[in-house]
Amino acid sequence: MIDINPKQIEKLLKRGVAEVIVEEDLKQKLLSGKKLRLKEGFDPSFPDIHLGHMVGLRKLRQFQELGHQVVLIVGDWTAQIGDPSGQSVTRPMLSAEQVKNNAQSYMEQFFKVVDKSNTEVRWQSEWFADFDLGDVIRLTSKFTLAQMLAREDFNHRYQNNQPISITEFLYPLLQAYDSVAIKADVEFGGMDQKFNLLVGRELQSMIGMKPQDILMTPLLVGTDGTKKMSKSLGNYVGIADPPREIFGKIMSIPDDLLFSYYELLTDIDDKELMNIGVALNNESINPMELKKGLALQIVEFLYDNQAALEAENHFRRTIQEKELPQEVEKCQLGNQTTSLREFILAAGLAKSRTDAKRLVIQKAVEVDGQTITDVNFKLKPGDVVKVGKRRYVRCV
RNA sequence: GGAGGAGUGCCGGAGUGGCCAAUCGGAGCAGACUGUAAAUCUGCCGCUCGGAAGGGCUUCACAGGUUCGAAUCCUGUCUCCUCCA
């Protein structure tokens, strides 16, 4: 039932793992043949999962394949506080209503990566609904301000006279209590979760439970190549994005990111991974080709082979060969909108008349393959207007 | 309860009476180039008229006021932060 192949286990604990606490302990647990409860929590404050989350989810999936049990915690309470991790400002509270809606769509995406049949979904409200003030006081009394300030982001904010709300201190405590409630053996999370994860260990042992081990995955750098992937920074590739978009976004990552993306987001074996590293270093391969391979694999994983090939094809035609895409959006050519500028505006290709004019003057507009710099250029039905690198509209 | 500080364009953040639609950085958009929607370089980046030069309009929390003239000064309001208690 439970796979205890030491080689396999060794591999899982190495590739794409930032840190394990306590490594030796976790190894023993995995070798024991016991079915482990793998905790993963999420806050339904943002309903979208991106590739950054996928790094951890893939790890979960791999452990699942050894036969272990994933316990997914829906943080319907913590979401209302907002995770302070990595934040430099206080988060606004969400309504219980919003949280419910987000959780649903979040899970749909979650199970694109993690095996649903082997996952137990638990809502925090199962145990927090009955929490009364006494419980809260008992829970908070176990921790000190010094402990909280040991945490870097709190400390930073404190030093800089930035506000920290009391509820934010509650966040790690609630998350820790989840581990108690579901008797977690291992908790998964990104490196930015370290503090929260450690509090879970602490609380468990205070209560006389064997503390969970912690497996942290590295933070994936976003498509901008500098900051961690995050929705609010806009440098993300969403798991639910359509295939073409995923493909395109992958193609736009800086070359430097290629290796880590391969390492964290694909299943290619370690040997092949090393080869890629070498090839990148001595420039014996065109990074573009590697990027295509990466994009293919990711789209295939999230959709299927056919979608991946289609997306690649689309990329090659429209971007590399600058061909017209097969289906082009249409826009009605009204009396008022026969001039190029008006049409661009009406078709939603520019946000204002000034903006439309700017595009034309900057040589960003082509009509039937000809660059046009005259804003008053008269369009006729059938003309295809191209704005920028990849936006096309046909006049009707 | 008291003292002090802050609110500027998508974000960060200059600017303390005219030279300000407002420096700079980031994001974004575009062009060139390229082995790529990478990197690099260049331009743009409130609305509007104009091919352009240039003009008009609405902006610097909100509402009033002083002034020939205000993001900048005054009054009030709202919001936020810090410190003391």
Side-chain angles (χ1 to χ4, degrees):
Chain A
M1 200 80 254
I2 305 297
D3 185 349
I4 55 166
N5 176 348
K7 257 192 185 157
Q8 187 66 16
I9 288 171
E10 193 64 33
K11 224 171 127 182
L12 284 193
L13 290 178
K14 240 179 72 201
R15 164 92 168 259
V17 172
E19 190 178 351
V20 179
I21 299 171
V22 179
E23 186 163 1
E24 203 40 49
D25 191 58
L26 178 56
K27 212 177 283 175
Q28 291 312 318
K29 276 185 191 162
L30 288 166
L31 288 168
S32 75
K34 185 193 167 204
K35 185 170 187 171
L36 301 178
R37 292 173 67 71
L38 315 174
K39 176 191 170 198
E40 164 84 16
F42 78 93
D43 281 348
S45 35
F46 275 134
D48 294 296
I49 304 188
H50 53 62
L51 293 187
H53 301 114
M54 197 167 106
V55 175
L57 301 193
R58 292 179 80 255
K59 228 353 119 188
L60 268 181
R61 171 67 184 246
Q62 291 161 4
F63 276 78
Q64 223 173 14
E65 280 162 5
L66 292 181
H68 298 289
Q69 174 74 48
V70 168
V71 184
L72 175 66
I73 312 275
V74 182
D76 52 343
W77 276 93
T78 40
Q80 294 181 58
I81 296 174
D83 184 5
S85 293
Q87 293 304 125
S88 49
V89 283
T90 314
R91 289 258 189 106
M93 298 244 282
L94 288 174
S95 76
E97 206 54 34
Q98 286 171 295
V99 165
K100 284 241 158 59
N101 294 335
N102 291 349
Q104 187 59 34
S105 81
Y106 191 101
M107 279 194 278
E108 274 167 34
Q109 297 167 60
F110 181 85
F111 291 123
K112 280 187 127 176
V113 182
V114 177
D115 178 14
K116 189 173 185 174
S117 65
N118 212 356
T119 300
E120 177 183 325
V121 177
R122 306 288 297 273
W123 292 65
Q124 276 182 324
S125 44
E126 287 175 41
W127 45 88
F128 286 138
D130 301 329
F131 244 57
D132 61 24
L133 188 57
D135 292 315
V136 175
I137 291 171
R138 265 187 294 282
L139 181 61
T140 49
S141 69
K142 294 184 193 302
F143 296 90
T144 68
L145 183 62
Q147 279 174 295
M148 293 296 150
L149 288 179
R151 179 184 170 141
E152 203 201 309
D153 41 37
F154 280 152
N155 198 353
H156 181 80
R157 280 157 66 184
Y158 184 69
Q159 296 298 339
N160 287 286
N161 290 335
Q162 286 172 328
I164 301 170
S165 105
I166 304 283
T167 52
E168 290 183 89
F169 287 143
L170 228 42
Y171 189 97
L173 305 191
L174 297 189
Q175 181 172 337
Y177 190 84
D178 296 341
S179 294
V180 172
I182 64 136
K183 301 186 171 60
D185 293 305
V186 191
E187 179 161 5
F188 285 63
M191 268 305 265
D192 56 344
Q193 288 289 309
K194 191 168 184 172
F195 183 88
N196 295 342
L197 298 169
L198 284 168
V199 176
R201 274 178 69 80
E202 224 160 315
L203 187 64
Q204 280 177 312
S205 63
M206 282 175 184
I207 285 174
M209 206 178 261
K210 184 162 170 30
Q212 62 185 5
D213 288 311
I214 293 170
L215 189 145
M216 283 171 285
T217 45
L219 299 180
L220 190 72
V221 177
T223 53
D224 61 345
T226 52
K227 299 187 208 80
K228 76 165 181 180
M229 185 173 282
S230 117
K231 182 167 183 185
S232 41
L233 294 172
N235 60 355
Y236 73 106
V237 181
I239 266 182
D241 284 350
R244 287 177 181 182
E245 204 171 320
I246 294 177
F247 197 96
K249 283 184 181 174
I250 297 290
M251 289 307 290
S252 79
I253 62 171
D255 294 353
D256 308 343
L257 255 45
L258 265 171
F259 186 83
S260 70
Y261 271 47
Y262 263 104
E263 180 185 16
L264 302 176
L265 297 171
T266 73
D267 287 319
I268 63 167
D269 62 60
D270 291 351
K271 233 182 238 160
E272 213 177 321
L273 185 65
M274 288 326 289
N275 289 341
I276 286 175
V278 171
L280 278 170
N281 271 331
N282 61 23
E283 297 181 351
S284 62
I285 186 165
N286 182 348
M288 182 193 62
E289 296 302 332
L290 281 178
K291 232 181 264 183
K292 275 190 175 178
L294 176 68
L296 272 171
Q297 288 194 46
I298 290 174
V299 176
E300 181 169 351
F301 180 79
L302 291 172
Y303 290 89
D304 53 48
N305 184 254
Q306 202 189 342
L309 292 176
E310 199 286 325
E312 182 191 27
N313 221 356
H314 179 259
F315 178 82
R316 184 175 46 71
R317 279 199 315 266
T318 59
I319 303 302
Q320 299 194 288
E321 293 166 12
K322 298 184 167 65
E323 265 181 33
L324 265 177
Q326 53 283 64
E327 74 276 6
V328 174
E329 262 188 74
K330 298 181 168 84
C331 182
Q332 192 72 37
L333 203 53
N335 311 338
Q336 301 299 316
T337 58
T338 57
S339 88
L340 187 54
R341 173 171 47 184
E342 296 303 320
F343 181 76
I344 290 171
L345 182 66
L349 296 170
K351 64 181 199 292
S352 69
R353 202 162 272 123
T354 307
D355 193 34
K357 182 177 66 179
R358 252 193 309 266
L359 287 166
V360 175
I361 290 168
Q362 290 187 140
K363 295 190 171 69
V365 178
E366 285 179 19
V367 176
D368 287 335
Q370 293 288 312
T371 302
I372 304 294
T373 52
D374 174 12
V375 288
N376 291 322
F377 183 85
K378 292 291 174 220
L379 292 165
K380 51 190 189 311
D383 284 346
V384 174
V385 178
K386 178 193 178 203
V387 174
K389 283 190 172 67
R390 54 186 185 226
R391 289 141 78 207
Y392 295 87
V393 174
R394 187 188 298 278
C395 307
V396 180

